[in-house]
Amino acid sequence: MDKTIVAQAIDEVTLSAADQAGELFAKSEIDAGLALEMFARALGTEPSFEHWVNQRTKFINAYVRIKPQAKGNSADAAFLRFKNRLTDAYGISAPKSTSEAAQKKATERADKAAKVDAKYADTSTAVLRDLLKQEYQAKADKPSKSSALLRACEDLDKLGACATVLDPDNELIKE
């Protein structure tokens, strides 16, 4: 058998696999775009918290139905990725809960934020930057379980914001 014929046959198989890979990838992008559009239409422009939770639950149930081998909270993680793309594409974000407990928690967080603002109101930007650097360095030197999220962060926007804060040439302005 001629070596050229064998080589051509192998190339055809490789191209066929590459063709299939390109088609699958294109279909997944098209399907993802369609999924975002369908979900956005189902939510509307200003969904209530209850409607959001209901639609989220339906999404996760369908995800698990299609991928029953999914482990742990992978469906929740998938919805988080989906939600981020939904926000980027359509500007729709998760509404806040209006329950009494959620409002109490929001009030507690606002009170804590006000206390922190009051505590550091007269602190210079340079001192605040040094405090942040010290905190990040302490976390890097001796990571705790709570800092595992910091080590595993893959959100480029959040990492960029951290790098901006820690950059000694950047002047931060307190608002």
Side-chain angles (χ1 to χ4, degrees):
M1 180 174 248
D2 185 11
K3 290 181 182 180
T4 306
I5 295 173
V6 173
Q8 286 174 341
I10 291 172
D11 285 343
E12 288 176 12
V13 171
T14 304
L15 290 176
S16 178
D19 288 337
Q20 289 175 5
E23 288 176 1
L24 286 171
F25 188 76
K27 286 178 186 176
S28 70
E29 288 182 332
I30 290 168
D31 290 346
L34 181 59
L36 289 168
E37 181 181 342
M38 291 171 65
F39 198 83
R41 288 182 189 275
L43 282 176
T45 55
E46 295 182 23
S48 68
F49 179 74
E50 292 76 17
H51 185 58
W52 174 271
V53 170
N54 182 280
Q55 297 303 311
R56 178 187 178 280
T57 302
K58 288 180 180 180
F59 177 98
I60 288 175
N61 288 340
Y63 184 90
V64 172
R65 196 170 45 249
I66 297 300
K67 289 181 107 175
Q69 76 282 7
K71 303 239 188 310
N73 67 346
S74 60
D76 290 322
F79 184 78
L80 180 61
R81 292 189 308 273
F82 183 80
K83 178 191 71 82
N84 292 339
R85 289 180 70 178
L86 184 71
T87 301
D88 291 345
Y90 293 98
I92 299 173
S93 57
K96 303 290 184 204
S97 174
T98 55
S99 72
E100 189 176 319
Q103 290 176 352
K104 180 181 176 188
K105 191 70 166 179
T107 303
E108 289 172 0
R109 287 181 180 142
D111 290 345
K112 286 181 183 179
K115 287 178 185 176
V116 169
D117 286 344
K119 181 178 179 179
Y120 294 105
D122 296 329
T123 307
S124 72
T125 303
V127 171
L128 288 174
R129 180 182 293 118
D130 287 342
L131 289 171
L132 276 172
K133 281 184 179 180
Q134 290 171 13
E135 186 63 29
Y136 279 110
Q137 189 61 48
K139 294 281 187 191
D141 291 343
K142 189 175 181 184
S144 64
K145 288 183 181 179
S146 64
S147 67
L149 291 175
L150 292 175
R151 290 192 317 267
C153 182
E154 294 179 2
D155 186 330
L156 294 179
D157 293 333
K158 289 178 184 174
L159 292 171
C162 289
T164 300
V165 167
L166 297 174
D167 184 354
D169 296 329
N170 186 20
E171 276 303 313
L172 297 177
I173 300 171
K174 293 191 296 185
E175 294 179 11

